[in-house]
Amino acid sequence: MRALVSSAAALAMLAGSLGTAAPVGANEPVLHHVRYTVTANAPIWSHIYYRDTEPALFSDYSHNPYMFSPRADAEVGPGQPWVLEAHLADPNLWAMVAVQSGEAPNFPVPGYSCELAVDGVVVKTDSGPKGALCSIRNW
C-alpha cells in the first residue's frame, strides 16, 4: 500500500511539472552590450575591423572569418571617434575591434587607440602608432 501511495504522489508531481510551461525565451542566451571606440591623435582615414555577430558554430567562423569581421572605413581623429554598439552572447570569445591606417605607408603615423567595453565596463584598451587591437580573447 505504501508503494502505491508513493507512486501516486510521484505521478501527481510529474503531471504537475509537465503542465508547467517554461518561460518564453528561457533557452535564449543573455546578450551583453558591447561598445567599441576607436580614436587617433590626428585625422586619418582608417580601416576598422569589428565583430558584431557570432557564428552558430566555430567552424562557420574558421571557414569564413571575414563574414563575421566586417570592415568599416572611417575618418577618425581628435573629437572624431568611431563608435559601434553591438550585442553578443559571448563577448569573452567574440568581442573584437582592430584598426589600421587606410592611407599610404608614407603618411604620418596617426597614433591609434581603441577601447572595448562590455555591459558598461571597459575591459580592454590598446594603442599603437600604426594600429590597435582590442579583444578579450588572445588571437
Side-chain angles (χ1 to χ4, degrees), residues 36-42 44 46 48 76-83 99 110-115 126-128 131-132:
Y36 304 120
T37 306
V38 173
T39 59
N41 294 334
I44 188 163
S46 307
I48 303 167
V76 296
Q80 190 178 1
W82 177 88
V83 178
V99 59
Y112 283 109
S113 294
C114 64
E115 179 181 282
D126 189 33
S127 61

Side-chain angles (χ1 to χ4, degrees), residues 20 24 113:
T20 305
V24 174
S113 294

Side-chain angles (χ1 to χ4, degrees), residues 47-69:
H47 298 308
I48 303 167
Y49 295 89
Y50 59 93
R51 208 157 293 122
D52 63 350
T53 58
E54 299 166 275
L57 301 170
F58 189 84
S59 60
D60 294 342
Y61 172 79
S62 65
H63 287 108
N64 190 359
Y66 291 103
M67 182 173 139
F68 298 97
S69 304

